[in-house]
Amino acid sequence: MTRSVRLYFRLILLQLRTAMEYRGDFWIAILGALLQQAVGLIFLITFFGVVPSLGGWSVWNVAVLHGMILTSLGLTEMFAEGAWRLRIDVNSGSFDRVLVRPLRPALQQLSSTASIHGLGDAGLGVAMLITGLVGSGLVWHWWTVPVLIMAGLSGTVICAAVNLITNLPVFWEPAAQSAFPTMVSRMRDFAKFPLTIYPGPLRIVVMVIPYAFVSYFPALLVLGRGGPERWLGLATPVVAALTVLAAAGLWRIALNRYQGVGH
């Protein structure tokens, strides 16, 4: 396991160094990420310029939710973006080389791409998170920073595992394109706002996927909001582990379905 983790980060580092060799593309990717997320930030500022609070949450509280989502999203793009290449690799036949190399196939696939675009998302996410916490008048405890770090790392694992799961249908339905992975990934936008503003069925969906554990429940715990449900924030690592187990099980089933190109 230690060897696999070490190899994984070496492969990711190689991908990042390759991306940074082209300075122009590097800065364009960073700027593109910032501009893309700036649209949501402008909407947030405009909305709260008219409405003082949303479901009892101030603009600073909602900024914390946005920051948590963007940080985990950015880290996922940098360290596990390869899940989005799965459909291309399966359809082109290049997935065969993943199976014949003396490395775990999942490790190779997830580390096959490292998007420098994620650096912009993660940077903006951290900035929004810190700004939101300070603006919320947070009372800092000894456990606040460890919980935030735990939430960021576990949220990244959840996002990466969900991305892999939603891209696995290519082994059953190898069409050139599919809107399903994108549709599921966009559900994370609902976790940028408090779940209490949504109807019951939608809350359940955001909890099951489970983006609510990336931002909402850890934010409740850190901000000291809500009732007993705030303690679900401590379950984020458990949810991350369960999501990884689900992804691993489905990955093994999917590999057994793979027959190569032309079969």
Side-chain angles (χ1 to χ4, degrees):
M1 179 61 71
T2 303
R3 177 177 177 272
S4 296
V5 172
R6 185 172 63 252
L7 285 173
Y8 182 83
F9 283 103
R10 289 184 65 179
L11 290 171
I12 289 294
L13 180 60
L14 178 62
Q15 294 287 347
L16 291 174
R17 289 179 61 183
T18 300
M20 293 177 68
E21 285 294 322
Y22 301 93
R23 300 297 177 86
D25 289 344
F26 171 78
W27 290 111
I28 289 174
I30 298 297
L31 180 61
L34 293 175
L35 291 176
Q36 182 180 3
Q37 300 302 336
V39 175
L41 183 58
I42 293 172
F43 167 78
L44 194 64
I45 295 173
T46 304
F47 179 84
F48 279 97
V50 179
V51 179
S53 65
L54 180 65
W57 289 61
S58 69
V59 62
W60 304 113
N61 298 156
V62 176
V64 171
L65 297 177
H66 275 66
M68 286 182 163
I69 287 290
L70 287 180
T71 301
S72 294
L73 172 63
L75 293 175
T76 303
E77 289 176 338
M78 284 194 292
F79 296 106
E81 187 73 352
W84 292 99
R85 283 195 52 87
L86 191 56
R87 184 165 295 272
I88 296 174
D89 291 342
V90 169
N91 281 285
S92 66
S94 58
F95 186 74
D96 291 349
R97 63 188 179 189
V98 172
L99 300 177
V100 298
R101 290 171 177 167
L103 293 174
R104 296 176 184 270
L107 180 149
Q108 295 181 66
Q109 188 62 45
L110 290 175
S111 64
S112 61
T113 303
S115 176
I116 207 68
H117 181 278
L119 185 59
D121 286 338
L124 181 59
V126 171
M128 290 187 67
L129 177 58
I130 294 174
T131 302
L133 292 173
V134 173
S136 297
L138 176 69
V139 177
W140 295 83
H141 301 282
W142 66 267
W143 47 263
T144 302
V145 173
V147 166
L148 289 172
I149 294 175
M150 173 270 293
L153 295 178
S154 299
T156 301
V157 171
I158 290 173
C159 290
V162 170
N163 287 345
L164 181 59
I165 291 172
T166 56
N167 279 280
L168 288 179
V170 67
F171 289 99
W172 286 268
E173 192 269 319
Q177 295 181 346
S178 174
F180 177 70
T182 303
M183 179 190 71
V184 174
S185 69
R186 298 311 304 179
M187 293 296 294
R188 65 174 178 262
D189 289 341
F190 290 104
K192 293 179 180 179
F193 298 93
L195 292 191
T196 50
I197 69 173
Y198 304 123
L202 185 54
R203 294 186 202 178
I204 294 174
V205 170
V206 181
M207 290 176 62
V208 170
I209 288 183
Y211 290 123
F213 289 90
V214 178
S215 61
Y216 181 67
F217 291 119
L220 286 179
L221 182 60
V222 171
L223 296 174
R225 298 184 60 92
E229 70 271 16
R230 79 176 64 171
W231 300 109
L232 286 174
L234 294 177
T236 300
V238 177
V239 173
L242 292 175
T243 311
V244 169
L245 288 176
L250 291 172
W251 173 260
R252 286 192 291 269
I253 295 172
L255 287 183
N256 290 331
R257 291 279 307 181
Y258 183 66
Q259 296 180 334
V261 176
H263 294 283

